Amino acid sequence: MSTRAVVVGVLLVSLLLAGVVSLYAASTPDGLTKVSQEQGFADTETEHGAADGPFAGYDAGFLDGDLGGAVAGVAGVLVVLVLGTALTAVVRRRPGADEPRG
């Protein structure tokens, strides 16, 4: 199996999981939020700098219903893919990266 086929397969599975499985995500608080509620410091939570962003709260606020979560998941996968690809390209082009170590 070629590397390209593996990359395309992983990308498709990632997008499918992000777009479809996110529709079935639990609406209960995540682990950190639950612990903060149980330990009594949840009220000290503050909004972060991206709280008003288009994908804040794992949701595409510009879409109604469950579709917003799916779109946010797919967008997240694509952002990570672009950043990972860019980082890989930078590291691979670093002078001396192709020379054997020894």
Side-chain angles (χ1 to χ4, degrees), residues 50-62 68 71-73 75-76 79:
D52 294 330
F55 298 113
Y58 306 107
D59 189 26
F62 51 90
V71 170
V79 166

Side-chain angles (χ1 to χ4, degrees), residues 25 30 32 35 43-44 46 58 66 69 79 93 98:
D30 64 14
L32 184 58
V35 168
D43 58 341
T44 62
T46 60
Y58 306 107
D66 293 335
V79 166
R93 291 183 185 198
D98 293 335

Side-chain angles (χ1 to χ4, degrees), residues 13-96:
V13 169
S14 299
L15 291 172
L16 181 69
L17 289 174
V20 175
V21 175
S22 63
L23 295 173
Y24 301 101
S27 61
T28 56
D30 64 14
L32 184 58
T33 302
K34 183 175 172 123
V35 168
S36 70
Q37 291 169 346
E38 289 176 355
Q39 298 298 317
F41 63 90
D43 58 341
T44 62
E45 179 183 20
T46 60
E47 291 289 333
H48 53 80
D52 294 330
F55 298 113
Y58 306 107
D59 189 26
F62 51 90
L63 295 173
D64 292 331
D66 293 335
L67 188 59
V71 170
V74 169
V77 166
L78 292 175
V79 166
V80 169
L81 176 68
V82 168
L83 292 176
T85 302
L87 180 62
T88 301
V90 168
V91 170
R92 290 184 79 184
R93 291 183 185 198
R94 190 178 61 194

